[in-house]
Amino acid sequence: MPKQNNDFRHIVLTSHPNRFGPKPISIIWGAGDPMQRGPVIATLTKQAHRNVVGTHSGSYTVYRALAVASGALQSDHKADLTNTAPVEHIGPHKSWADPDKIVSLDPFGAIVNEVFKPYYEQGYDIRPTIAITKAHINMPELQESIAKGRLQIDGKIMKSGGDLVVTKAAIEPVWYLPGIAKRFKITEGDLRRALFEQTGGMFPELVTRPDLDVFLPPIGGLTVYIVGDVQNVADPNKPLAVRVHDECNGSDVFGSDICTCRPYLVHGIEVCVQAAQEGGAGVIVYSRKEGRALGEVTKFLVYNARKRQEGGDRADAYFSRTECVAGVQDMRFQELMPDVLHWLGISRIDRMVSMSNMKYNAITQSGIEIVERIPIPEELIPPDARVEIEAKKSAGYYTTGEVLEASDLAQVKGRALE
């Protein structure tokens, strides 16, 4: 194993540019021309090139540090991106050049080695923040849908044996701080200070480098699964189904029946397949926001608190027990969620497989039309998940009639149930 250097004196905690030295490449967020917009450069090998706060694969950086510390990875490794280009091209769309439509991801993130080729030739280390590939997925419930006649095998989208052909994109978060602040109606200074303090001062550049507008936060990203022709997604004349799903490991992976997450996810996939087979497309957005972005430990603590209270697990205490443990009912803040839909060029959703008012309002207020909302069928709701459904109904989390106004939503999000 290589000898480790224990001399920390060479480490730079803040990276103020030398006023006499070269300035990092500027990022002009919202510019339609990628060369004018500028690349996102989070390299760790050439500090002078960095023009963002944070680093790529933010939620995995500690593992990378362990790999470097143990000698398994060279700290100056530069990725060989040969043959890694997207298997399907998405965009560019008009929304890519609107700084208000996309603030939490880099719309050029999948094609950096194409659009920023001149910078590569000058030795800049620019990494993709989006990767696009193709795959087959197979879930037992889809085979059941075929057996019951709800889905048809067509040999192209749905193959024999229940294999579903999808195009999928993995997306790392890239936050344009002025745009994030505007979206949440707060000052950029307050946003930077909160990010700095609530990460334990991990990113001093948030407060020492106001010239850096872009932050790569150490959080999970999202995955997009596209069913059908990718080009149909942005075509408002073709039927489009969408399910925006926030991660629930217990249900999505292991089939826990205390919530409706996996049944609703599968139902969303089924509706997406149907739209694709009608000549349109379907989109599943899977976000890493475990436990309403409170985390799985908090979620399990809340499970215990709900089940041990007097009278057992009750709808009238569903959200209040969450707030007692976490201090807030929900930290997903759907305000940033529509960005990925704008990256896909979506302007109209014919079938939104969700009854969440927060998701509906976030999407429609961003300028995307939703024609129909599709609830989870009653027969797919597990018995143990009835508490969740009744609690959400009582709290105004979703409605079967008119959509809540934004002011009403704020009250719903901000109060605990009595």
Side-chain angles (χ1 to χ4, degrees), residues 37-252:
R37 201 294 303 270
V40 170
I41 307 173
T43 179
L44 297 174
T45 57
K46 292 186 178 181
Q47 290 290 332
H49 286 180
R50 289 173 55 81
N51 63 357
V52 301
V53 180
T55 184
H56 292 300
S57 302
S59 60
Y60 293 95
T61 51
V62 173
Y63 291 109
R64 185 169 67 225
L66 287 175
V68 171
S70 66
L73 173 65
Q74 294 298 312
S75 61
D76 61 352
H77 172 74
K78 191 173 181 179
D80 180 355
L81 298 175
T82 304
N83 293 329
T84 62
V87 298
E88 289 274 6
H89 275 278
I90 293 174
H93 296 292
K94 184 179 179 180
S95 52
W96 291 22
D98 187 336
D100 291 327
K101 293 293 186 186
I102 299 177
V103 299
S104 62
L105 60 88
D106 179 5
F108 300 105
I111 52 176
V112 291
N113 47 346
E114 173 187 334
V115 297
F116 297 121
K117 188 176 179 180
Y119 286 113
Y120 280 99
E121 293 172 347
Q122 296 175 52
Y124 283 90
D125 182 11
I126 305 167
R127 307 287 178 93
T129 56
I130 301 176
I132 304 172
T133 189
K134 282 187 174 292
H136 288 188
I137 61 175
N138 195 313
M139 303 174 75
E141 294 93 335
L142 297 181
Q143 297 178 32
E144 180 182 345
S145 296
I146 293 172
K148 291 184 176 181
R150 294 197 301 269
L151 292 180
Q152 305 297 321
I153 294 174
D154 56 46
K156 181 181 179 182
I157 297 171
M158 180 67 72
K159 297 194 171 185
S160 59
D163 278 353
L164 176 61
V165 179
V166 298
T167 300
K168 60 182 183 178
I171 302 176
E172 291 181 359
V174 178
W175 285 11
Y176 174 57
L177 294 175
I180 298 283
K182 183 178 180 181
R183 189 78 61 89
F184 282 87
K185 297 179 174 59
I186 57 177
T187 70
E188 185 183 346
D190 286 343
L191 173 63
R192 285 176 175 268
R193 175 61 61 178
L195 289 170
F196 172 73
E197 292 177 347
Q198 295 304 313
T199 57
M202 287 172 59
F203 302 97
E205 291 169 320
L206 286 168
V207 291
T208 65
R209 292 293 304 275
D211 59 308
L212 300 182
D213 288 335
V214 176
F215 175 45
L216 275 57
I219 58 175
L222 55 87
T223 311
V224 178
Y225 293 84
I226 300 173
V227 183
D229 189 336
V230 171
Q231 303 307 314
N232 290 346
V233 173
D235 187 343
N237 298 312
K238 301 285 180 67
L240 177 67
V242 172
R243 166 70 181 166
V244 176
H245 190 90
D246 295 317
E247 178 183 27
C248 178
N249 182 63
S251 179
D252 296 341

